[in-house]
Amino acid sequence: MKETTRQKLIDATFEEVYSHGYQGAALADILKNAGVHKGSMYHYFGSKKEMALVAIQERISTRNFEKYSKILALESGYLRALLTAMKDTKQRDFKRGCPIANIAQEMSNLDEDFNKTMKLLYEEFRRYIKNILDKAVEAKEMQACDTKKMALFITAALEGAILSAKATGNAQDYIDSVEILEEYLRAFSNN
Amino acid sequence: MKETTRQKLIDATFEEVYSHGYQGAALADILKNAGVHKGSMYHYFGSKKEMALVAIQERISTRNFEKYSKILALESGYLRALLTAMKDTKQRDFKRGCPIANIAQEMSNLDEDFNKTMKLLYEEFRRYIKNILDKAVEAKEMQACDTKKMALFITAALEGAILSAKATGNAQDYIDSVEILEEYLRAFSNN
DNA sequence: ATGCTACTTGACCAAATAGTCAAGTAGCAA
DNA sequence: TTGCTACTTGACTATTTGGTCAAGTAGCAT
């Protein structure tokens, strides 16, 4: 299946923004990596910013969906699956960190459109976690609790753990942090 | 006491970098806000990057020292003082977030010198927390535990909580996250 | 007063930036 | 075949970027 020009742009934009931040993302490099000319890009998108927002939105939403909707679709073992997903370091890029956190942190206070987009993506992430916790409570795998607040804490701890590993260059920091988070969550577990 | 040219530059640089990130920090704006001319700046610093690194280093180290060394200097009540400091939202700027996290996240994977500097500052922050926990254990306010790992988890959870508030624009997210962190820590407390 | 050093001034520069546009081409519908 | 639309090409522009530098000034030691 052939990749369209638009898709090539979205992929190259996401990579560039993920690696260098939005402000550090050079349009020239995006175009070079996509193999697309400038005028062509401006046919599909009105500006660098618009293209970046579309790329971020699409790519992160897809990733969240792929990662968490399959847990929600389980018949049981929600909490265990969530913990397994959290502890799976194979898919994580500790050099670059979490795309949501990166861009939210860079842009939330600088641009209203980025602010809105990243707020939605952050809340989407948090909602996935809350829904998984709700399923776990419903399935009696876990004590009833304030799942909204719990989901907030889990996402915060996860983002913080990823940042620790990025800041120190040590993936073990992520593993250690998540281990404590796991202990904390297991105290609510019925197994 | 008169503010020297060098100090004016450091202060303006820190503010600009804190607000806009390093890549988004415009030298022209720093100079305008400092009221210093370009050639004068290049008398004190070799480059924008060098000046930014000095500003970040100095300002963040000072802030960490002011905030945590007075807790370490207490005779007792270490854990309580730490929790109080964590819950004190008056001094926090949730719009801009945490300077360490901001710059570490933006620059750690882009520049080796930033990487080194932010790693040191991050570790310094974590060491303050560990030392406070050690004092608390020593004073029997708290059960013996792996304070290094605990400090890692606390810093991660705090950074994540600040990011949550920044991403959603809701300071309550920080408060709620820290409340759970507090509950977790109180389980280790002897009071 | 002289001379030295530390500092300041602001004009200048090359490179990179996002964005524009007129001219082209490919492919499809009539 | 004609003509229309969707898309591509790449040269061009205005602005901003960090950085340079020669000329100047203030203040202090001799």
Side-chain angles (χ1 to χ4, degrees):
Chain A
M1 165 184 164
K2 121 170 192 296
E3 205 182 15
T4 67
T5 300
R6 192 190 130 95
Q7 195 57 45
K8 277 192 247 173
L9 284 168
I10 285 182
D11 290 343
T13 300
F14 180 79
E15 279 305 307
E16 176 73 9
V17 171
Y18 182 25
S19 293
H20 296 86
Y22 173 71
Q23 300 182 106
L27 204 44
D29 291 346
I30 294 173
L31 296 171
K32 199 180 58 195
N33 290 332
V36 170
H37 290 268
K38 190 170 271 193
S40 206
M41 176 229 134
Y42 277 99
H43 173 76
Y44 291 97
F45 301 101
S47 64
K48 173 194 172 190
K49 178 174 143 183
E50 184 193 316
M51 180 167 71
L53 285 171
V54 169
I56 291 162
Q57 175 87 256
E58 279 194 25
R59 291 284 303 258
I60 293 182
S61 264
T62 301
R63 192 163 162 275
N64 275 344
F65 179 81
E66 283 168 357
K67 192 157 190 174
Y68 299 111
S69 69
K70 71 175 61 149
I71 297 182
L72 283 167
L74 294 173
E75 299 284 309
S76 67
Y78 301 105
L79 191 57
R80 204 165 58 83
L82 176 61
L83 290 170
T84 303
M86 275 166 38
K87 289 190 289 183
D88 176 20
T89 56
K90 287 194 302 291
Q91 315 215 48
R92 293 218 176 274
D93 181 342
F94 290 114
K95 287 248 175 305
R96 294 193 287 179
C98 169
I100 306 181
N102 289 357
I103 302 160
Q105 197 149 75
E106 179 190 2
M107 299 302 296
S108 287
N109 61 325
L110 294 182
D111 182 281
E112 192 47 43
D113 298 314
F114 272 94
N115 186 24
K116 262 186 243 164
T117 300
M118 299 321 294
K119 179 177 155 84
L120 288 174
L121 288 171
Y122 199 89
E123 286 170 347
E124 180 184 275
F125 174 32
R126 203 187 283 178
R127 199 161 43 243
Y128 274 117
I129 305 296
K130 177 180 185 300
N131 289 345
I132 292 171
L133 294 178
D134 284 336
K135 286 264 195 182
V137 169
E138 198 188 345
K140 310 253 187 249
E141 296 171 2
M142 196 180 164
Q143 297 165 32
C145 62
D146 185 341
T147 54
K148 193 178 167 200
K149 215 159 137 183
M150 187 77 91
L152 163 63
F153 182 66
I154 292 173
T155 54
L158 278 180
E159 297 287 11
I162 296 169
L163 173 63
S164 295
K166 179 171 179 172
T168 62
N170 188 355
Q172 189 64 36
D173 282 355
Y174 175 82
I175 296 168
D176 287 347
S177 254
V178 167
E179 198 173 298
I180 294 197
L181 180 60
E182 181 177 12
E183 277 166 29
Y184 172 73
L185 289 175
R186 287 218 185 277
F188 288 83
S189 162
N190 287 330
N191 307 315
Chain B
M1 165 182 165
K2 118 171 192 295
E3 205 184 15
T4 67
T5 300
R6 192 190 131 97
Q7 195 57 45
K8 278 192 247 173
L9 284 168
I10 285 181
D11 290 343
T13 299
F14 180 79
E15 280 305 307
E16 176 73 9
V17 171
Y18 183 24
S19 294
H20 296 87
Y22 174 71
Q23 300 181 107
L27 203 45
D29 290 345
I30 293 173
L31 296 171
K32 200 180 58 194
N33 290 332
V36 170
H37 289 268
K38 190 170 272 192
S40 205
M41 176 228 135
Y42 277 99
H43 173 75
Y44 291 97
F45 301 101
S47 63
K48 173 195 173 190
K49 177 175 143 182
E50 184 194 318
M51 180 168 71
L53 285 170
V54 169
I56 291 161
Q57 174 87 256
E58 279 194 26
R59 291 285 303 259
I60 293 181
S61 265
T62 302
R63 191 163 162 274
N64 274 345
F65 179 80
E66 284 169 356
K67 192 157 190 174
Y68 299 111
S69 69
K70 70 174 62 148
I71 297 181
L72 283 167
L74 293 174
E75 298 285 309
S76 67
Y78 301 104
L79 192 58
R80 203 165 57 85
L82 177 61
L83 290 171
T84 303
M86 277 166 38
K87 289 190 288 182
D88 177 19
T89 55
K90 287 194 303 290
Q91 315 215 49
R92 292 221 176 272
D93 181 342
F94 291 115
K95 287 250 175 305
R96 294 193 285 180
C98 169
I100 306 181
N102 288 358
I103 301 160
Q105 198 149 75
E106 180 191 1
M107 298 303 296
S108 287
N109 61 323
L110 293 182
D111 183 280
E112 192 46 44
D113 297 314
F114 272 94
N115 185 24
K116 262 187 243 163
T117 301
M118 298 320 294
K119 180 177 155 84
L120 288 175
L121 288 171
Y122 198 91
E123 286 170 346
E124 179 184 275
F125 173 31
R126 202 187 283 177
R127 199 161 44 243
Y128 273 118
I129 304 296
K130 176 180 186 301
N131 289 344
I132 292 171
L133 295 177
D134 283 336
K135 286 266 195 180
V137 169
E138 197 189 344
K140 310 256 188 244
E141 295 170 3
M142 196 179 163
Q143 297 165 31
C145 62
D146 185 341
T147 54
K148 192 178 167 198
K149 214 159 138 183
M150 187 77 91
L152 164 64
F153 182 66
I154 292 173
T155 54
L158 277 180
E159 297 289 10
I162 296 170
L163 173 62
S164 296
K166 179 171 179 172
T168 63
N170 188 357
Q172 189 63 37
D173 282 354
Y174 174 81
I175 296 169
D176 288 347
S177 254
V178 168
E179 198 173 298
I180 294 196
L181 180 60
E182 181 177 12
E183 277 166 29
Y184 172 72
L185 289 175
R186 286 217 184 278
F188 288 82
S189 162
N190 287 330
N191 307 313

